[in-house]
Amino acid sequence: MALWFTSPQLGNRRDIQITNFQTNQKYTEYTIDICLDDIRWQVKKRYSEFADFHEELIKHIPTIDVKSLPPKKLLNNNSPDFIHRRRLALDNYLKYLFQFFTINSLQLPECFVNFLDFHLYEVHGIVRKLAEELFLNGDKILSAPGKKPFSISPLQMHAITRRIKLAEPPCDSNDPAKDLSHILDFLCHVKYVQIIGSPDNFGTSTIKTQFLSFDVSFFKSVEELILDCVQTSQITGIDNLKKTVRHLSIHRSLTSIREIALSSLTEIPPSSNEWLISTWKFVTHLDLSKNSLHSLDESLKLFCKTESLDLSYNLLETSIDHLQHLHFLQNLNLSNNRLHDVSDFNARVGNIRSLDLSFNELITTDGLSRLYSLITLNLTSNKLDSIKNIESLGSLPCLENLWLKNNPLTRIVDYRIRVFAVFYNRAKDVWLDGQMPDQREIDRAAVISAMSRAKQNEAAQATMLVRKALSPTKPISLLSSSLLRQTSTNTINNIASSCPSNLSIIEKQPDVVLDTTGSNNTLPTEMTNTN
């Protein structure tokens, strides 16, 4: 990180030079390359900006040589030879200023900081600018209604962390508005914060904010924290957040949950309660979406009071473990992963009320049949291709909202009616793909449900006959197989004849997939007539 010391430091590198220029019909712009330590950035300035800067600099520091800046030239100032000579002269001027401030151990004046963008890339400049902003607007931000988070970059956090460790007074300029204390006081009281980095270079510099280290122990009252595109292993003071944070969101930063959950612990001790010290006991909303999680590790139990958990846009494929430790979990978002198996899902999660499994690779919902408290279920854009694959959902007594859009089964003739039939008498209470069923759908679903129940009763009676036939009290040798077949056939015929004729017609109708290229997607004539 770029840092300017008022006195020369061993190994501290300072360099400045004009590396290039661009000329048009009106003016010439010079490219200035600044290097502090291992950080470089560029600034582009015209000669007129040099002249204004030099005039202001002389006012603040009269001891600077007035003639150190090359003079103006009104005529023939666009010739290549003149521009080349001026570039060299301006380069020498900037080197002179760097040497002047270094030899005299002077603090950089404000005009110098702004002219060369030190307020964007150098520790002191960044801190001064932020301190002034918070001095002017800090109280307004803290008292603003709503929960709009205060946005601060990893670069600013890194600069504060570096600045506070320097053996320097909090106010290193003549302007009290730029006192470091303004920042520390604000961070101590702010409740909603987001720290957003970037994998790209910041501005014209070589700084990648994603990889900067910083300390978050300055936050004493934060309740909602958003970390986006930061390196969690470079963050210190995380344990202090566990005392206040209630909403925690981390994006584009994690490959495992333990990176943020454990912080000071390397692992959860298997035979002690030491991990309880590290619990995030106030976090009720945990958003870990848009990361690179392949699995859920045991450290998830440290978020023991979580009510809402967002794991969308990760790389989860098969194992969804350790969710059973979240006893207060009600809302779970697993959308946009690679899940293809939800078997025994009821044993992995508690009494959740909302479950989002959209944009995965599920082929069946059998593992969801015992989530009895589930109210909302989103299965949009999976690989469910048959009504049989969702029949288990009919056993969910509280389900009110079901989303099945963009699954292959939605191309089945009378898709909505067949889905409603799965819920029997509860069909009228279930909204499908955001729409409540109309009376026609309810009536026809009831017919299909009745036929399905009749078929189940028929199968049950046939099973009972077989069991009686094979009962030890009646030796099988005394009952001929032909009599068994005849009895079963007679029973089935009697049940079928007692059902309304339209049930038989509907029952014979298979899962027909709609021809999306044709224009006629209506029911066959004989099915329409039955209604």
Side-chain angles (χ1 to χ4, degrees):
M1 181 65 190
L3 183 61
W4 179 280
F5 290 98
T6 54
S7 58
Q9 301 288 318
L10 183 63
N12 182 241
R13 181 185 176 190
R14 301 176 181 180
D15 188 27
I16 187 168
Q17 60 179 330
I18 297 179
T19 58
N20 201 358
F21 62 87
Q22 291 181 335
T23 303
N24 56 36
Q25 295 179 351
K26 295 182 179 181
Y27 59 84
T28 299
E29 195 171 53
Y30 299 90
T31 301
I32 307 169
D33 191 88
I34 302 110
C35 175
L36 287 184
D37 297 329
D38 57 343
I39 302 300
R40 287 182 174 274
W41 71 90
Q42 290 184 341
V43 179
K44 293 184 178 181
K45 299 293 181 181
R46 297 163 55 179
Y47 178 81
S48 60
E49 294 175 291
F50 272 93
D52 293 340
F53 158 67
H54 183 67
E55 183 178 347
E56 187 175 359
L57 186 62
I58 294 299
K59 292 179 182 178
H60 288 85
I61 307 177
T63 54
I64 290 180
D65 185 2
V66 177
K67 297 182 180 180
S68 57
L69 181 71
K72 295 181 180 179
K73 185 178 182 181
L74 299 178
L75 300 177
N76 198 26
N77 58 4
N78 286 330
S79 65
D81 181 62
F82 173 78
I83 292 174
H84 176 69
R85 285 186 283 107
R86 173 173 277 181
R87 181 183 74 83
L88 294 177
L90 291 175
D91 184 79
N92 291 331
Y93 169 71
L94 293 174
K95 285 181 168 57
Y96 160 74
L97 292 181
F98 259 43
Q99 186 177 15
F100 177 86
F101 288 114
T102 300
I103 293 175
N104 294 280
S105 299
L106 294 176
Q107 189 64 253
L108 297 179
E110 195 68 22
C111 58
F112 187 93
V113 169
N114 293 331
F115 182 72
L116 295 178
D117 285 354
F118 272 60
H119 62 293
L120 298 179
Y121 307 111
E122 193 269 336
V123 168
H124 292 89
I126 294 171
V127 170
R128 289 179 193 169
K129 181 182 178 183
L130 181 59
E132 185 177 24
E133 291 176 356
L134 295 179
F135 174 77
L136 297 174
N137 302 310
D139 291 339
K140 186 186 300 183
I141 296 172
L142 293 176
S143 60
K147 297 182 178 181
K148 183 180 179 181
F150 171 70
S151 184
I152 186 170
S153 71
L155 179 59
Q156 291 172 313
M157 290 298 301
H158 178 79
I160 297 169
T161 304
R162 289 284 301 275
R163 174 65 179 84
I164 205 170
K165 294 179 180 179
L166 297 177
E168 298 177 0
C171 186
D172 54 9
S173 69
N174 296 324
D175 188 352
K178 297 171 183 177
D179 194 318
L180 174 63
S181 302
H182 299 314
I183 299 177
L184 300 180
D185 181 65
F186 176 85
L187 296 184
C188 182
H189 291 89
V190 67
K191 292 184 177 181
Y192 312 106
V193 179
Q194 61 179 7
I195 304 175
I196 303 177
S198 172
D200 303 322
N201 289 353
F202 176 69
T204 63
S205 72
T206 57
I207 301 172
K208 292 184 182 292
T209 59
Q210 179 182 12
F211 303 108
L212 292 176
S213 61
F214 56 90
D215 189 357
V216 292
S217 61
F218 311 118
F219 300 113
K220 307 297 184 182
S221 307
V222 63
E223 296 178 4
E224 180 177 340
L225 177 63
I226 301 172
L227 300 175
D228 191 349
C229 201
V230 298
Q231 197 163 23
T232 53
S233 60
Q234 297 283 2
I235 303 176
T236 57
I238 290 179
D239 279 343
N240 293 296
L241 300 176
K242 298 174 183 178
K243 303 174 184 177
T244 58
V245 172
R246 286 168 169 76
H247 291 222
L248 179 62
S249 302
I250 304 175
H251 312 296
R252 298 186 297 169
S253 305
L254 299 175
T255 57
S256 68
I257 297 177
R258 68 176 59 247
E259 293 173 13
I260 187 68
L262 291 177
S263 64
S264 59
L265 294 176
T266 56
E267 62 181 357
I268 298 179
S271 59
S272 77
N273 291 326
E274 184 181 347
W275 65 272
L276 291 172
I277 302 174
S278 192
T279 56
W280 296 74
K281 57 184 177 181
F282 294 111
V283 172
T284 58
H285 292 74
L286 180 60
D287 185 353
L288 302 180
S289 60
K290 300 178 183 177
N291 284 291
S292 299
L293 301 177
H294 288 83
S295 62
L296 306 181
D297 56 69
E298 190 182 7
S299 62
L300 185 61
K301 68 166 66 173
L302 299 178
F303 298 95
C304 52
K305 295 295 181 66
T306 299
E307 299 174 7
S308 178
L309 175 60
D310 190 344
L311 293 167
S312 60
Y313 292 94
N314 276 285
L315 304 173
L316 303 173
E317 295 185 10
T318 55
S319 179
I320 305 297
D321 297 321
H322 306 295
L323 290 175
Q324 67 272 19
H325 300 295
L326 308 182
H327 303 297
F328 297 90
L329 186 63
Q330 295 186 16
N331 304 303
L332 177 60
N333 189 346
L334 290 166
S335 63
N336 292 277
N337 278 281
R338 302 173 182 177
L339 298 173
H340 52 80
D341 181 20
V342 288
S343 58
D344 298 327
F345 205 75
N346 62 290
R348 301 172 187 271
V349 298
N351 297 321
I352 60 173
R353 299 164 61 87
S354 176
L355 176 60
D356 191 342
L357 288 167
S358 59
F359 296 92
N360 279 284
E361 301 175 8
L362 302 180
I363 60 175
T364 182
T365 62
D366 290 344
L368 308 177
S369 60
R370 297 177 66 184
L371 297 176
Y372 298 129
S373 60
L374 197 61
I375 297 176
T376 300
L377 176 60
N378 191 344
L379 295 170
T380 300
S381 298
N382 277 277
K383 296 182 179 181
L384 303 168
D385 59 2
S386 171
I387 298 298
K388 291 182 178 180
N389 292 338
I390 63 162
E391 285 181 347
S392 59
L393 301 181
S395 63
L396 301 179
C398 298
L399 190 64
E400 297 178 0
N401 300 288
L402 176 62
W403 298 81
L404 292 171
K405 293 190 300 184
N406 299 328
N407 277 282
L409 64 81
T410 59
R411 298 195 296 269
I412 294 174
V413 173
D414 280 349
Y415 143 73
R416 285 179 59 85
I417 295 172
R418 290 172 177 268
V419 172
F420 287 130
V422 168
F423 295 94
Y424 298 103
N425 296 333
R426 290 196 61 251
K428 65 180 181 300
D429 301 323
V430 179
W431 285 52
L432 178 59
D433 297 332
Q435 295 182 0
M436 65 181 299
D438 56 34
Q439 191 58 46
R440 169 183 168 275
E441 291 174 329
I442 294 174
D443 293 342
R444 301 191 69 180
V447 172
I448 296 178
S449 298
M451 191 65 225
S452 176
R453 287 184 182 275
K455 189 173 181 181
Q456 291 175 3
N457 293 336
E458 174 187 322
Q461 291 185 22
T463 302
M464 289 178 62
L465 286 174
V466 172
R467 287 178 177 175
K468 289 181 179 180
L470 300 179
S471 174
T473 59
K474 294 182 180 180
I476 193 170
S477 60
L478 300 179
L479 183 64
S480 65
S481 59
S482 61
L483 177 60
L484 176 60
R485 287 194 300 271
Q486 182 63 35
T487 303
S488 299
T489 302
N490 292 338
T491 303
I492 293 172
N493 290 336
N494 290 337
I495 295 173
S497 63
S498 65
C499 297
S501 58
N502 60 348
L503 292 183
S504 300
I505 295 174
I506 295 176
E507 178 62 21
K508 293 176 182 178
Q509 180 70 21
D511 284 354
V512 180
V513 177
L514 288 173
D515 182 3
T516 57
T517 61
S519 60
N520 185 13
N521 292 332
T522 59
L523 287 171
T525 304
E526 56 269 28
M527 280 197 66
T528 306
N529 292 337
T530 62
N531 294 285

